[in-house]
Amino acid sequence: MRLLFLGDVVGRSGRDAVIAHMPTLRERLDPDLTVVNGENAAGGFGITVKIAEEFFAAGVDVVTLGNHSWDQKELVAAIDQQPRIIRPLNYPEGTPGRGFVLLQARGGRKVLVMNVMLRLFMDPMDDPFAAVDRVLRAHRLGPNGADAILVDVHGEATSEKMIMGHFCDGRASLVVGTHSHVPTADHVVMKGGTAYLTDAGMCGDYDSAIGMKKEVAMAKLIRKLPTERLSPAEGEGTVCGCYVETDDRTGLATSIQPVRLGGRLSQSMPVRG
Amino acid sequence: MRLLFLGDVVGRSGRDAVIAHMPTLRERLDPDLTVVNGENAAGGFGITVKIAEEFFAAGVDVVTLGNHSWDQKELVAAIDQQPRIIRPLNYPEGTPGRGFVLLQARGGRKVLVMNVMLRLFMDPMDDPFAAVDRVLRAHRLGPNGADAILVDVHGEATSEKMIMGHFCDGRASLVVGTHSHVPTADHVVMKGGTAYLTDAGMCGDYDSAIGMKKEVAMAKLIRKLPTERLSPAEGEGTVCGCYVETDDRTGLATSIQPVRLGGRLSQSMPVRG
Amino acid sequence: MRLLFLGDVVGRSGRDAVIAHMPTLRERLDPDLTVVNGENAAGGFGITVKIAEEFFAAGVDVVTLGNHSWDQKELVAAIDQQPRIIRPLNYPEGTPGRGFVLLQARGGRKVLVMNVMLRLFMDPMDDPFAAVDRVLRAHRLGPNGADAILVDVHGEATSEKMIMGHFCDGRASLVVGTHSHVPTADHVVMKGGTAYLTDAGMCGDYDSAIGMKKEVAMAKLIRKLPTERLSPAEGEGTVCGCYVETDDRTGLATSIQPVRLGGRLSQSMPVRG
Amino acid sequence: MRLLFLGDVVGRSGRDAVIAHMPTLRERLDPDLTVVNGENAAGGFGITVKIAEEFFAAGVDVVTLGNHSWDQKELVAAIDQQPRIIRPLNYPEGTPGRGFVLLQARGGRKVLVMNVMLRLFMDPMDDPFAAVDRVLRAHRLGPNGADAILVDVHGEATSEKMIMGHFCDGRASLVVGTHSHVPTADHVVMKGGTAYLTDAGMCGDYDSAIGMKKEVAMAKLIRKLPTERLSPAEGEGTVCGCYVETDDRTGLATSIQPVRLGGRLSQSMPVRG
Ligand SMILES: [Fe+2]
Ligand SMILES: [Fe+2]
Ligand SMILES: [Fe+2]
Ligand SMILES: [Fe+2]
Ligand SMILES: [Fe+2]
Ligand SMILES: [Fe+2]
Ligand SMILES: [Fe+2]
Ligand SMILES: [Fe+2]
């Protein structure tokens, strides 16, 4: 299978970049499944159903979230009607929405997409390892199980993300980090056959502070005085993420390649295997 | 000028990788200045003078440090005799060693190398922005000033690193992050002419938890029970960092390219301009 | 019933103070149940079975722990044979030991003692509120249930401790905080009838940094250079905690009074009602 | 001299309590200097000049602040005209206002009041120890210097507050903590003669989460979903703080006693020596 994952979409620049590059990505890579992290799509803070629908219309199959899941309050009430918008698995019991979704992809293949939040330097959550383990025990990769399993690991610390990668190695097709808003260059197929990337990077304007206007973020951090509210930078966005191909017999990855299109970063368009 | 920077060297795998790849890097890139972050070179914890001297013998000009500066206690007493080993600028007054060094590079050119520690999710330190600003006001880049200025920004949060990049834009040749131990793919020459990379990545074995044995790190994080002491992973290391070329008239960057050689990551050897 | 709770015992000064004052406390207050937090009893770091047995011999019924539970590694293997030493409830599944104990107190009365770890500014743990709720639903206070329920809330942030107090109000006899090593003066019977105290304070030498030698702690914090290992201060300790009386029909508290005996703090010996 | 210090005033309940109890406190204790921490006086978030003036009218001499200094933006512009409202010393250079004030108290006596912010589990600030040390070197306690020196230490961690106490021991009349909103019971005159209290406690309604409505705070912490904005609890407030007497020849403390008046906590009215 061919899997496309794009990192945190930040504001209008990020949304415009995703909408603009999806046709080329679909043409060149013909993904069986496309997942986008949308936690910052609405002005940097959360996402609305309307924006998610624009992503779906552009060919996105699943939207994942993170610590900004509920910044747009309407989503709290709406998410239960939106099986393809998933929030972190390890929120408290009783949280609306779900932490994973099982989809039918092209050709009747079954795909599982999961979203989990890590804990170092972040809001306290229940154990992400136990949560992921429960799902991976219930839904095994490979013959008679899922054809592909994709885990969006929303976290700050690189150590914890790498450990989650090893924890899932051999049991998922792709473990990819989000939240840092900077793409990492450590894409690798691990020894057990799981593709891994510490962070997908954001879809947004990189002449910024992780997608937000740099002048405001700088004043806030350095001067520690009240400023105007942080809002997304408005320059041309870069679409960032990764493209993974799997072995249809095992569901494990055969390759992972970075995606970086448009905007200010060095460009990387994957090549279909 | 041609500047080579390599990120946090972790243990023997990292040291072996640096020593093994330096000859090729020097032959291909002929750097005027080579800087290595050495804070994890001695078994993952700090550095000894003996190890620093091995780096110098291999062609490294300056060793930078970070939050692990004093893990090898001998360095506290030794650093004042080691002008080419620098520790973060913004340690408390009275801390041994210095936070920057002015060097003569080839052809009599003056180069300034600085090391600073950020604060989000890290040990409390004095304001890194004020500290860097003082040095950059005393040592200006360009005609009659420094021919190149390189800032090693040791920090956890991507936002704070990007803000430090913008803060120095136009005043330094290169702002490069360390500490996350994962190379980022956002190398860019910013609008003011400063080359920027959020993290250089480590020099070490990437089949690990940021360079340390993955089984031990995993047990510690997940089970929260006592484990054996963390020690560096022992597989083949990847040398990670970046290569920057500057305009001799301004000291500003004309290009920045990633370095990733050996080990498990995708390979990237810069091309001399 | 009469309940006595003493906070984190730190090192020899703390142990000596507990042993010295227990006879007077027992004579004056005649407690039906005595609980001591022992997480720092062994040189400031963890506890051994031998030390716990000294507490039991002095009249202590239950020893609670906290983030230092496993600092003495022998306890990991030993705790399953020690039902009266309890560790935080919300450690990961598979952790040795238990997070609560049901005891027979004098006159056949049933008492439940629980230990839980909070999360703000602390190591990531599973949701303490969900964990406490599960126990409180299984073991109800009052007729046909437990005659007394005591919750040791090991946490840093006062807000989170107060919220846990309200969360348990009406369902426990006493919610008392530990870990800050400083006694608070906010002992109160809340509206629902649960006695509450944000922190019991430590049993140890208060001419110190939370029980450890002040010179070493000061050097570590201010100079950020290697120091000798932290060890407990050796002056006379103060025994700190609280004394609660409950209504035998409901298990709820009728009064809570502070205990502060010996050492440097202002003295407070409760009066039996 | 006689010094009165009251901790963080939270919202209307806190303000009403201060205004209501100040006449009695002045009558009973006749303080030469009264200081109040006002960082939460305006609806829990910051303070306005109008509210500060109400405190001054009630007999307060100096208002101190903390991490909430600028929550009411008007204070940023106004503070330079308000020498008796002081903000933490160790904000970045260029921050409006001042970190200490030298006052004439009754009988021509000179009093220094200082406010400093600690760093553990708090916003990054410059070294509080270096900042306090600079002021204490410029303004010495005792003959030919200040008649009293009062330091409001705004911090979270009890260890760091105790260390600041020892750091100032013999050089200040009183070191008193704020920010935790819970009064501690460890008031003591340290070996060098400085009175010390880890936290003064808040002036506000204790049937709350550190002064804010408990239901909202509880929902926010436990459910991690959007809630209404936090606002102060509205029950009767307790005035909390301490009363210190000093030796006129040295400026050092001879006694320290807790103040707790009104509301739900156990009552403590100091006795004039
Ligand atoms: Fe995020
Ligand atoms: Fe994000
Ligand atoms: Fe490092
Ligand atoms: Fe580091
Ligand atoms: Fe403790
Ligand atoms: Fe503790
Ligand atoms: Fe505060
Ligand atoms: Fe406050």
Side-chain angles (χ1 to χ4, degrees), chain C residues 169-170 189-194, chain D residues 205 207 214 235 264:
Chain C
D169 192 15
V189 176
M190 294 183 293
K191 287 179 170 169
T194 298
Chain D
D205 176 6
D207 181 23
K214 62 189 177 187
R264 302 182 59 81

Side-chain angles (χ1 to χ4, degrees), chain C:
Chain C
M1 290 185 80
R2 292 182 296 276
L3 313 173
L4 176 63
F5 184 89
L6 303 179
D8 311 44
V9 181
V10 181
R12 172 162 298 283
S13 288
R15 299 197 311 268
D16 286 353
V18 170
I19 303 299
H21 293 281
M22 272 297 288
T24 321
L25 284 162
R26 294 175 74 181
E27 193 190 308
R28 296 279 198 93
L29 304 174
D30 189 30
D32 297 301
L33 178 79
T34 301
V35 179
V36 170
N37 185 297
E39 70 149 3
N40 310 105
F45 298 96
I47 191 169
T48 60
V49 171
K50 187 164 169 297
I51 290 175
E53 282 169 349
E54 289 167 19
F55 292 148
F56 296 142
V60 170
D61 299 295
V62 177
V63 170
T64 55
L65 296 168
N67 54 312
H68 288 286
S69 295
W70 313 124
D71 286 1
Q72 299 297 321
K73 289 188 196 166
E74 62 160 81
L75 196 66
V76 179
I79 197 168
D80 278 329
Q81 270 64 56
Q82 296 288 339
R84 295 201 290 154
I85 305 180
I86 60 174
R87 45 76 178 169
L89 260 181
N90 51 338
Y91 269 124
E93 248 196 76
T95 299
R98 297 196 62 194
F100 66 96
V101 60
L102 258 170
L103 289 180
Q104 289 283 111
R106 279 192 301 204
R109 287 179 291 186
K110 287 196 314 192
V111 182
L112 177 75
V113 182
M114 212 187 306
N115 186 203
V116 69
M117 201 140 39
L118 299 184
R119 302 195 289 189
L120 296 186
F121 316 130
M122 300 194 77
D123 222 27
M125 290 288 140
D126 280 343
D127 184 348
F129 295 93
V132 166
D133 197 55
R134 276 192 295 271
V135 178
L136 291 180
R137 285 175 189 279
H139 303 275
R140 288 177 187 275
L141 188 67
N144 308 317
D147 292 284
I149 295 180
L150 190 158
V151 187
D152 171 355
V153 178
H154 201 74
E156 178 74 35
T158 49
S159 57
E160 200 180 11
K161 283 166 154 174
M162 288 178 86
I163 289 171
M164 182 60 88
H166 296 303
F167 186 77
C168 298
D169 192 15
R171 303 196 284 168
S173 311
L174 168 63
V175 173
V176 57
T178 54
H179 179 72
S180 87
H181 289 207
V182 174
T184 61
D186 61 338
H187 45 282
V188 71
V189 176
M190 294 183 293
K191 287 179 170 169
T194 298
Y196 174 78
L197 175 64
T198 294
D199 206 284
M202 70 167 165
C203 298
D205 177 7
Y206 279 82
D207 181 22
S208 68
I210 55 169
M212 306 307 265
K213 284 186 182 144
K214 61 188 177 187
E215 296 78 9
V216 182
M218 199 182 297
K220 214 178 261 300
L221 185 71
I222 300 177
R223 303 193 57 213
K224 302 193 179 295
L225 290 170
T227 63
E228 55 179 284
R229 185 178 154 89
L230 277 173
S231 63
E234 294 170 352
E236 191 194 330
T238 303
V239 162
C240 283
C242 61
Y243 168 72
V244 169
E245 298 187 349
T246 65
D247 180 333
D248 279 338
R249 292 162 308 173
T250 61
L252 294 169
T254 54
S255 68
I256 174 169
Q257 300 175 66
V259 173
R260 294 191 301 276
L261 296 176
R264 302 181 59 81
L265 297 195
S266 77
Q267 303 292 294
S268 171
M269 169 60 88
V271 178
R272 221 174 119 177

Side-chain angles (χ1 to χ4, degrees), chain A residues 93-263:
Chain A
E93 248 195 76
T95 300
R98 298 196 62 193
F100 66 94
V101 60
L102 258 171
L103 289 181
Q104 289 284 111
R106 278 192 302 204
R109 287 178 291 185
K110 287 196 312 192
V111 182
L112 177 75
V113 183
M114 212 187 309
N115 186 203
V116 69
M117 201 139 39
L118 299 184
R119 302 194 289 186
L120 296 187
F121 316 130
M122 300 194 77
D123 223 27
M125 291 288 141
D126 279 343
D127 184 348
F129 295 93
V132 166
D133 196 54
R134 276 192 296 270
V135 178
L136 292 181
R137 284 175 190 279
H139 302 276
R140 289 179 187 273
L141 188 67
N144 307 318
D147 292 284
I149 295 181
L150 190 157
V151 187
D152 172 354
V153 179
H154 202 73
E156 178 74 35
T158 49
S159 57
E160 201 180 10
K161 283 167 154 174
M162 287 178 86
I163 290 170
M164 182 61 88
H166 296 304
F167 186 77
C168 298
D169 191 17
R171 302 197 284 168
S173 311
L174 168 62
V175 173
V176 56
T178 53
H179 178 72
S180 86
H181 288 206
V182 173
T184 61
D186 60 339
H187 45 281
V188 70
V189 177
M190 293 184 293
K191 287 176 171 173
T194 298
Y196 173 78
L197 174 64
T198 294
D199 207 285
M202 69 168 167
C203 299
D205 177 6
Y206 279 81
D207 181 23
S208 68
I210 56 167
M212 306 308 265
K213 283 184 184 149
K214 61 189 178 188
E215 296 79 8
V216 183
M218 199 183 296
K220 213 177 262 298
L221 185 72
I222 299 177
R223 304 194 56 215
K224 303 196 179 293
L225 290 171
T227 63
E228 56 179 287
R229 186 178 152 89
L230 278 173
S231 63
E234 294 170 352
E236 189 193 332
T238 303
V239 162
C240 282
C242 61
Y243 168 72
V244 169
E245 298 188 348
T246 65
D247 179 333
D248 279 338
R249 291 162 308 171
T250 62
L252 293 168
T254 53
S255 69
I256 174 169
Q257 300 174 67
V259 173
R260 293 191 302 275
L261 297 176

Side-chain angles (χ1 to χ4, degrees), chain B residues 92-93 119-120 124-127 134, chain D residues 92-93 119-120 124-127 134:
Chain B
E93 248 195 78
R119 302 195 289 188
L120 297 187
M125 290 288 141
D126 281 342
D127 184 350
R134 276 192 296 272
Chain D
E93 248 195 77
R119 302 193 289 188
L120 296 187
M125 291 287 141
D126 280 344
D127 185 348
R134 276 191 296 272

